[in-house]
Amino acid sequence: MLQIIGGGLLLGSFSYFGHYLAGLEGRRVRQMEGFLLLVRHVRTGIVCFAEPMEEIYRRFENEALETCGFLPALREGGFASALHVCRDRLYIGAEEGRALAAFAREVGKSYSREQAAVCDYTIGELEAALRRHQEEAPRRARAARSLAVCGGLALLILLL
């Protein structure tokens, strides 16, 4: 009887772990959408309204970036600082990280025409990455759930 309960708990915990990993894929997509919206918001603030960066950052809202702490860090220390402070809580890939780091180095440090070009380049990179992540997310989520359950079953068989 105890073996059945233990096996059920083991499979349940591995199933929960697979569900958690699948949720990370959804968070990754929502953060990528948030970054894309942020860069578009920055471009609009620079080109259309010639606002200072602090005001642009203050007016932007996004739940995914707020939850991970990026927006509070952004408002406090700027884009580069926020990327550095929140790097462990951001679910972005290396390619997107490089595009955002290049954006952080350039934004707010030149004429509006050059900043608009940097925004346009970053928007293009983020849109391509977002499309790729949206296409891959369901497959990766299914794979994470399946591997977690299979790993739990394999461990259960080893323990019996």
Side-chain angles (χ1 to χ4, degrees), residues 34 36 46 49 57 80 89 91 94 98 124 129 133 142 152 155:
L36 182 58
I46 290 170
F49 302 112
Y57 294 154
R89 291 171 281 177
Y91 303 112
R98 281 191 295 275
H133 286 301
R142 276 193 310 272
L155 184 60

Side-chain angles (χ1 to χ4, degrees), residues 69-75 77-87 90:
F70 182 81
L71 288 182
L74 175 70
R75 293 177 188 123
F79 206 96
S81 173
L83 279 177
H84 179 71
V85 168
C86 298
R87 68 182 174 271
L90 296 175

Side-chain angles (χ1 to χ4, degrees), residues 57-114:
Y57 294 154
R58 187 185 63 74
R59 290 188 315 106
F60 182 74
E61 294 179 7
N62 182 274
E63 185 180 344
L65 296 181
E66 192 78 45
T67 303
C68 71
F70 182 81
L71 288 182
L74 175 70
R75 293 177 188 123
E76 187 176 310
F79 206 96
S81 173
L83 279 177
H84 179 71
V85 168
C86 298
R87 68 182 174 271
D88 296 335
R89 291 171 281 177
L90 296 175
Y91 303 112
I92 56 175
E95 185 178 318
E96 299 87 36
R98 281 191 295 275
L100 290 170
F103 176 77
R105 281 191 306 270
E106 298 297 325
V107 73
K109 298 183 176 126
S110 60
Y111 293 111
S112 62
R113 190 173 300 171
E114 287 85 10

Side-chain angles (χ1 to χ4, degrees), residues 12-56:
S13 63
F14 272 85
S15 177
Y16 176 77
F17 181 65
H19 179 71
Y20 172 77
L21 291 177
L24 290 178
E25 290 301 317
R27 278 179 252 166
R28 177 188 309 247
V29 169
R30 286 189 299 279
Q31 283 184 0
M32 290 296 301
E33 289 170 343
F35 278 117
L36 182 58
L37 290 172
L38 175 60
V39 175
R40 286 179 177 159
H41 177 76
V42 168
R43 186 186 191 291
T44 301
I46 290 170
V47 174
C48 297
F49 302 112
E51 293 177 315
M53 295 309 293
E54 294 81 18
E55 179 65 21
I56 293 171

